[in-house]
Amino acid sequence: MASEITYAEVKFPNASPAAAAEVPPKTKKQEHHPQKYPPWLPWLISLLLLLVCIALIIAFLVVPLSPSDEEPTALQQKFTEWQCDSAVPQGKGRGWTCCPKGWKRFQKSCYYLSDDRMRWAESEQNCTGMGSHLVVINTEAEQAFLTKELLDALGRNYYIGLRARQVGQWQWVDQTPFNATAAFWRKGEPSNVVAEPCVAIHTSSEIDNWNDSRCESHYRICEAAAVTV
């Protein structure tokens, strides 16, 4: 006799109602939380900004009052003692115009009146060796200044930086174009002869005091740009 098979429906209380296959749960998106900074960081940033502002103030106000970082001129390399005058009103900042001790200053130039005599070529070499050149006269004011200074000088004739490469063709040592209308020749000068290619100032109260001459031994006037600090 065959046994009777009985079917019964059994329900489990925690079972999923339909799950033929278990589906893996979706991965949760990672939540982004704002990063927390230490409370002292804003103070540090403020301090750095303050330091930058101070550095900029120093750069614009203090640095211009300091001596220039440019390479020293030939004149500065030759001399250690200087005479300086303020080139700007007091309290207006930097601006001292300096010449070597014993030199004369007029406007932006320094002048050396020698106490010994040399030929013209040697005179130019001597000036060059001091970081200068034989004087080049550009204005009537400059000529008047030198004329006045020479009244108390030792010699009668002082070489300037003017010479004729050919008769009547005058040339300044610094290649400044010669302006015949701004020359200060004595009456009857220049002679314009081959034997007198060099030019000297003859000590005189008259502003027109240049004369061409032989390139023999005379005193000299050297000129260099004044130094500003």
Side-chain angles (χ1 to χ4, degrees), residues 81-84 97-101 103-105 109-110 226-227:
E81 294 186 71
W82 296 79
Q83 294 174 317
C84 300
T97 303
C98 304
C99 289
K101 188 175 180 179
W103 290 50
K104 310 288 185 178
R105 184 174 73 83
S109 293
C110 303
V227 175

Side-chain angles (χ1 to χ4, degrees), residues 58-77:
I58 292 174
F60 283 104
L61 297 181
V62 178
V63 172
L65 298 178
S66 302
S68 173
D69 293 331
E70 296 178 356
E71 288 294 323
T73 64
L75 193 69
Q76 288 174 279
Q77 294 175 352

